[in-house]
Amino acid sequence: MAVYRILRLGAEILREEARPVPKITDSILRLLDNMAETMYQANGVGLAAPQIGVSKRVVVVDAGEGLIGLVNPVVVTTAGEDIAVEGCLSIPGVEGEVKRASLVKVSGWDRSGREVEVEGSGLLARVLQHEIDHLDGILFIDKVIRFVEQDKGRE
Ligand code: ZN
């Protein structure tokens, strides 16, 4: 496994629409594995392929309920509403309140290419929406209601 460098705000690919994956190949499986490794190494709860410079519709998520890897994920239903503080591995040091659906159902392929549905609430719902936004070039800062003052520490 390998750890990728995570691109920061300003990288053009973060603003591009990622391309659908036509089929699961060995390179997609390696991408999923390495993205998971990269996410854990960065202490993140989610990562989208454009964040490591790959324009493919692939995300990994672990919101404390286990690793989920999805290819070509789509939000199929949403319910409720929830405001919470978010950040992004591509925008270190910035946090803000974002309104998201509190429940989502997402469909996509698992690593065997089987169509699966993932339902999430709370943090999992939030992370799934955040990562799928990345695939459309949307960043959480586009949706922030209020930026949160960072603790600047003491001299
Ligand atoms: Zn992000």
Side-chain angles (χ1 to χ4, degrees), residues 109-153:
W109 299 347
D110 68 8
R111 48 188 301 134
S112 64
R114 207 173 28 212
E115 183 91 29
V116 290
E117 278 196 344
V118 176
E119 273 188 63
S121 61
L123 181 62
L124 178 56
R126 178 164 296 275
V127 179
L128 284 166
Q129 291 168 85
H130 177 118
E131 301 313 328
I132 291 171
D133 272 354
H134 270 299
L135 304 181
D136 293 320
I138 298 165
L139 301 175
F140 89 98
I141 50 173
D142 305 341
K143 297 187 166 179
V144 164
I145 298 166
R146 191 174 68 86
F147 285 96
V148 174
E149 195 67 33
Q150 293 291 300
D151 182 3
K152 293 189 182 72

